[in-house]
Amino acid sequence: MDEVLQVFLTFLRLGALSFGGGMANLPEMARVLIAKGWVTQQEFADGFALGQFVPGPNMLAVVFYGLSAAGLPGVLAALFGMFLPGAVGAIWLVKGWQWMARSRWSRALRKALVPIAMGLSASMVLILVQLGVDGAAWLLGVGVAALLIHRGVPVVWVMGGGAVLGVLVGLVLA
């Protein structure tokens, strides 16, 4: 039970420090989970990829990390820990939105968060580079982004193409 509490408290801290879907907190999450020995670098990267693949919030990777740390009870501990702060914060914002929208400090805070989010996103890219994402994966990612942004290709087609490509690569490498 002590391990489950440790998982909950770790993800509660990570969830409290997260914003923007948790992606900005990815470097800290990688550092903490790998240092605790709950996952290896490769397992962290695999969990991140799984979290991106499944529908829903992109931080569903915590299911994988919680399972690795403390089994099935760890899954629930990681999920509740990661998403509880955001849920409480969203409820608080909804209740106080009208007041906050009029306040000067709120507008200033929102403007200040833009460069912070950009810096954290850049650190996320650095973590992915350190985890060993190869040049072909980066090239594929840039190509997919170009298809989505500049060509307006529907996301469903890109996901289907990625699935077909993954099956073909799996068959070739098997």
Side-chain angles (χ1 to χ4, degrees):
M1 189 62 172
D2 187 41
E3 186 76 19
V4 175
L5 181 61
Q6 181 91 14
V7 170
F8 174 75
L9 292 175
T10 298
F11 281 97
L12 185 68
R13 183 178 71 81
L14 291 169
L17 297 174
S18 295
F19 61 93
M23 296 293 289
N25 200 24
L26 194 67
E28 175 65 3
M29 186 179 294
R31 185 189 70 74
V32 168
L33 300 183
I34 293 168
K36 288 182 177 285
W38 291 345
V39 292
T40 64
Q41 282 188 342
Q42 184 61 50
E43 289 170 340
F44 186 85
D46 291 345
F48 177 74
L50 286 171
Q52 298 303 300
F53 181 70
V54 298
N58 55 15
M59 285 315 301
L60 282 178
V62 301
V63 169
F64 175 77
Y65 304 143
L67 182 67
S68 181
L72 289 177
V75 169
L76 293 175
L79 277 171
F80 283 119
M82 188 69 189
F83 293 111
L84 184 65
V88 170
I91 291 168
W92 181 76
L93 281 174
V94 167
K95 297 287 185 190
W97 185 253
Q98 289 179 350
W99 171 77
M100 286 183 58
R102 291 187 308 264
S103 71
R104 285 176 143 178
W105 70 267
S106 175
R107 289 191 301 268
L109 178 64
R110 284 181 279 165
K111 285 182 180 179
L113 287 176
V114 171
I116 292 170
M118 291 174 65
L120 290 171
S121 295
S123 68
M124 178 190 71
V125 170
L126 180 61
I127 289 294
L128 292 175
V129 168
Q130 290 173 343
L131 290 175
V133 177
D134 62 8
W138 283 106
L139 194 58
L140 181 63
V142 168
V144 166
L147 284 174
L148 292 171
I149 295 169
H150 297 296
R151 299 283 184 216
V153 175
V155 173
V156 173
W157 291 9
V158 173
M159 290 174 64
V164 169
L165 181 62
V167 168
L168 291 175
V169 168
L171 291 174
V172 169
L173 296 178

